[in-house]
């Protein structure tokens, strides 16, 4: 009876570990987004994270009869990358990002995490 309980507990812990890894640490996608940096800021109540928004050229889908731009909201883990973004707000950036299936409070508010500035104009 005890052996079955320990095996069941081990299987449950393994399944929970795989789920947490897939949800928060598995890189679902990565790529490059280009656009004008609208803002870069540090915010948060407990975990201070770096957040930003890139405005891309073109038009997005909004309500019928309205025109909206594409917006890419992202988080930044590296303080050096954040400083580069913060001091050059309003310029055009090509940002390399990783997309996760979920966000962690200490990693940022979004599923998209910028890990490199590819180009700045």
């Amino acid at each position: 009876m005890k052996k079955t309980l320990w095996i069941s507990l081990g299987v449950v812990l393994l399944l929970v570990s795989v789920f947490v890894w897939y949800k928060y640490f598995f890189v679902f996608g990565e790529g490059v987004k280009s656009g004008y940096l609208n803002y870069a800021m540090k915010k948060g109540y407990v975990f201070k994270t770096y957040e930003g928004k890139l405005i891309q050229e073109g038009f997005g889908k909004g309500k019928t009869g309205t025109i909206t731009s594409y917006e890419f909201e992202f988080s930044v883990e590296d303080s050096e990358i954040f400083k580069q973004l913060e001091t050059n707000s309003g310029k055009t950036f090509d940002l390399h990002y990783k997309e996760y299936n979920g966000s962690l409070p200490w990693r940022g508010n979004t599923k998209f995490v910028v890990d490199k500035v590819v180009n700045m104009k």
Side-chain angles (χ1 to χ4, degrees):
M1 179 74 175
K2 275 189 169 183
K3 186 177 182 180
T4 307
L5 180 65
W6 282 109
I7 290 173
S8 299
L9 183 63
V11 169
V12 168
L13 285 175
L14 179 67
L15 291 174
V16 168
S17 299
V18 168
F19 171 77
V20 167
W21 172 80
Y22 178 75
K23 179 77 175 166
Y24 300 109
F25 297 100
F26 174 72
V27 177
F28 177 70
E30 58 183 296
V32 175
K33 295 268 188 178
S34 299
Y36 296 99
L37 184 65
N38 188 3
Y39 65 79
M41 66 180 167
K42 183 177 181 181
K43 70 178 188 175
Y45 293 110
V46 176
F47 298 103
K48 299 292 185 187
T49 60
Y50 305 118
E51 308 296 328
K53 183 188 285 187
L54 203 65
I55 305 295
Q56 299 175 287
E57 292 183 9
F59 301 105
K61 16 181 208 178
K63 296 179 184 174
T64 306
T66 63
I67 298 174
T68 59
S69 61
Y70 291 108
E71 295 178 350
F72 175 61
E73 293 189 14
F74 59 89
S75 301
V76 179
E77 283 186 306
D78 188 0
S79 62
E80 293 300 317
I81 294 173
F82 173 73
K83 286 177 188 173
Q84 185 178 5
L85 295 173
E86 184 181 41
T87 56
N88 294 292
S89 185
K91 293 187 178 178
T92 303
F93 282 90
D94 297 335
L95 301 175
H96 184 269
Y97 68 93
K98 292 181 180 178
E99 179 182 0
Y100 296 92
N101 291 316
S103 63
L104 291 169
W106 54 86
R107 188 168 60 197
N109 293 332
T110 68
K111 300 186 310 181
F112 301 100
V113 178
V114 169
D115 60 349
K116 183 170 43 172
V117 174
V118 177
N119 191 12
M120 179 183 71
K121 300 174 199 158

